[in-house]
Every structure is written in C-alpha cells, then in structure tokens.
Amino acid sequence: MHRTAAYSRSLARPFLTAARGFCTSASESSGGEKIVAAVLFERLPVVIPKIDPVVYAFQEFSFRWQQQFRREYPEAFLKKSDARGKGDYNIEYTPAPRITEADKANDKRSLQRALDRRLYLLIYGTPFGSNGTPVWHFPEKLYESEPTLRKCAESALETVIGDLSHTYFVGNAPMGHTGTQQSEKDKADTSLKRFFFKSQVIGTHKLDIGKCRDHAWVTKDELLEYFPEHAEYLNKMIIS
C-alpha cells in the first residue's frame, strides 16, 4: 500500500517541531535555563609513558616464547648488514629527560612537566554561576548567539589563549555535560547546564594564558582533587 506525501509530512512534522527546540538561544529556553560551553584543553604525552610491570613481564615472556620458534638465518646472510654504512638509524642521540626543571620546582603553570602524562588546563577566575566567587574551572563561555555550541566553546578557549592556531577540537559534539541548580536568591537563573568539549594542544610547548587570575596544567589525578564534588563523573568522562 503506497503512502501519500501528505501522510509522510504529517509523520515528519512532530520530529521537525521537536528539533526546532534545540535551535533557540539560551535566553529563550524554558524556565530561565542557561547553557555554558566548557573546554577540556588537553596536552598529550610528550614522551612514551612507563610500561606497567605486568605488561613488561608479559612482553618479556612473549619474546622468550617466540625465540623458541624463530627462523634461523645463515651466518653469511646476517653478516651482510655489517657491510652497509651508517645511516640515519644509527645516529646517536640523547633521550629527553623524564624529570624536567618544572617537575622539580612543581611548576604547574608550565607545559614542560609530567611529560609522560596528559595535562589539562584549569584557570582561576569567576565562571558563570559562581556568584562572583573566584574558583578553579575550565575555560568556558555562556552560550548566547553563536551558530553552534562548538563555536561557543571555541570562543571560550580563544579568549583564554588568544589564538586557536595550535589547537584541535576533537569532534563537533560535547563529550559530556553536567547540570547544576542555582541558589534561590537568583530567580532569573534557575538552572545551569555545562557542556564539555575536548580540544588538544598541537605543535607548541608554550602558550600565553590570559584573561584569568591564574592557571595550571594538571594531570587527571590532580584535576580530580580540584573538583571533589564532581570527581566521580569527571573520572568517567576523562579517559586517559
């Protein structure tokens, strides 16, 4: 049985109506609900992380097991590699130190620390919904008239670091969100939803952080100490 075009439009109309609700601005949301775009700005490990002892023991066992069944080549074939000259693969080099001066001084404002770990940017200031009290938080911005929520997140990060040329936003969708209730004194702003977007540092080891009282590059374990009330959720959201 063929369905008419009018019937198909009648089925699609409720979905189109529901979709329009997500396109309204934050000021027009029901109940005075505000939306904030926050950025989880991440620096990836610079050096290879240390291998876990269990993993190292398994790799050692696998290597010895494979040695029992390896193919033995003639001695004349193996000596041919000695006749070649030194190439780039034989150039001597000094590996980068795992413990830097920033690690020794516990300088959390430097990117040259915890080189084998992921670091996340926190800034100290007055975010939206803090009632004027300065706290540690992620770079964020109240969603107003931006075309998308990701554009709002990009604007929040650009305000802090001044330039997005050394950043890479991972995807267009947020990686998570939290909801908080405002105090009863603020009747205009009854609730707040904060959406988190992931971005990564690309091609640089130094960034000029501004528009805040202070900043810190922290590991995941250190980050959870800054947000004890949201530690369980952030531990699940941040996979490292």
Side-chain angles (χ1 to χ4, degrees):
M1 181 177 182
H2 298 285
R3 296 180 178 179
T4 63
Y7 178 76
S8 300
R9 286 196 297 269
S10 65
L11 289 179
R13 189 175 297 111
F15 295 98
L16 294 174
T17 305
R20 292 193 190 101
F22 293 97
C23 298
T24 57
S25 64
S27 59
E28 297 176 354
S29 57
S30 61
E33 185 178 72
K34 301 297 182 181
I35 297 177
V36 172
V39 182
L40 190 72
F41 197 33
E42 173 185 58
R43 189 221 66 187
L44 297 175
V46 178
V47 299
I48 299 176
K50 292 184 178 179
I51 301 177
D52 186 89
V54 177
V55 176
Y56 179 81
F58 174 76
Q59 292 179 348
E60 183 72 14
F61 168 78
S62 299
F63 174 77
R64 293 182 178 180
W65 180 265
Q66 293 173 5
Q67 288 296 98
Q68 301 177 17
F69 306 100
R70 74 183 188 278
R71 178 182 296 179
E72 295 186 3
Y73 291 93
E75 191 70 20
F77 177 80
L78 297 176
K79 288 184 177 181
K80 286 185 178 181
S81 61
D82 299 335
R84 293 183 299 178
K86 282 192 174 183
D88 294 340
Y89 59 91
N90 281 329
I91 293 178
E92 297 182 358
Y93 69 96
T94 303
R98 289 184 175 272
I99 306 299
T100 63
E101 295 297 329
D103 289 319
K104 297 177 182 178
N106 195 25
D107 183 10
K108 294 185 178 180
R109 303 186 67 183
S110 173
L111 270 173
Q112 297 299 316
R113 65 178 298 263
L115 298 182
D116 59 342
R117 303 283 301 278
R118 296 171 183 255
L119 294 182
Y120 304 93
L121 175 64
L122 295 179
I123 59 177
Y124 187 74
T126 54
F128 184 82
S130 65
N131 297 325
T133 304
V135 294
W136 287 99
H137 64 283
F138 300 100
E140 64 181 31
K141 183 182 182 297
L142 179 66
Y143 174 67
E144 294 173 338
S145 59
E146 291 81 6
T148 62
L149 199 56
R150 171 177 160 166
K151 288 293 184 183
C152 182
E154 291 178 358
S155 178
L157 186 58
E158 187 176 10
T159 302
V160 175
I161 65 177
D163 186 12
L164 297 180
S165 59
H166 293 290
T167 65
Y168 170 72
F169 274 79
V170 183
N172 295 319
M175 60 186 300
H177 80 281
T178 59
T180 58
Q181 293 290 333
Q182 299 293 330
S183 60
E184 297 180 356
K185 297 180 181 179
D186 277 337
K187 296 183 179 180
D189 301 331
T190 56
S191 62
L192 173 68
K193 284 187 178 180
R194 182 174 282 106
F195 292 84
F196 295 94
F197 288 81
K198 177 184 283 190
S199 182
Q200 296 174 343
V201 180
I202 299 296
T204 186
H205 299 292
K206 185 178 181 180
L207 293 169
D208 295 326
I209 310 297
K211 300 294 184 179
C212 61
R213 300 184 183 184
D214 198 1
H215 72 276
W217 290 97
V218 298
T219 63
K220 179 181 177 180
D221 296 334
E222 295 170 341
L223 185 146
L224 298 180
E225 297 177 358
Y226 283 84
F227 305 99
E229 65 279 3
H230 300 296
E232 182 178 358
Y233 176 77
L234 292 175
N235 186 43
K236 294 179 180 179
M237 184 182 72
I238 303 174
I239 301 176
S240 61

